[in-house]
Amino acid sequence: MDATKKIDKRIAETKDWRGKRMAQIRKLIHEADAEIVEEWKWDSPVFTHHGLVCAVSAFKGHVGVNFFKGASVKDAKKLFNGGLDAKTMRTINLKEKDALDQKAFKDPVKAAVAFNLKK
């Protein structure tokens, strides 16, 4: 099964609010970068463009978006709320009632892609 189908399946199997949130995040990632590639790594949806950009995972109480090079990208809206002490990664953790600024969410995606393209 290809990565896109695996991601579709994971979202469909996650029947509560987390599945809806994962679908929303996936859509925003694609809107932020039309050339993003969906992959399946570490039993998770992973998005790449000339390198790793982010991974999306559902956890018991939140959905996490892990930016692999998050420490190297600008976070003007202060969306990163996890992994702040990590050397390279940063995470946006979203709980059920958390609002998501959709426009602002696209900024770290774009910045991560730009970082990869600079290498």
Side-chain angles (χ1 to χ4, degrees), residues 11-68:
I11 289 170
E13 289 173 347
T14 310
K15 297 192 182 293
D16 60 10
W17 67 270
R18 296 170 304 150
K20 291 180 182 111
R21 180 69 83 167
M22 290 173 67
Q24 175 193 34
I25 290 166
R26 180 190 201 185
K27 179 179 179 279
L28 294 172
I29 291 168
H30 282 283
E31 288 175 4
D33 181 63
E35 296 181 36
I36 205 101
V37 175
E38 294 185 337
E39 298 189 26
W40 188 260
K41 297 176 184 284
W42 311 292
D43 197 36
S44 296
V46 174
F47 300 86
T48 65
H49 184 150
H50 289 285
L52 296 169
V53 174
C54 62
V56 179
S57 299
F59 297 94
K60 185 175 181 177
H62 71 279
V63 171
V65 185
N66 181 39
F67 287 82
F68 295 99

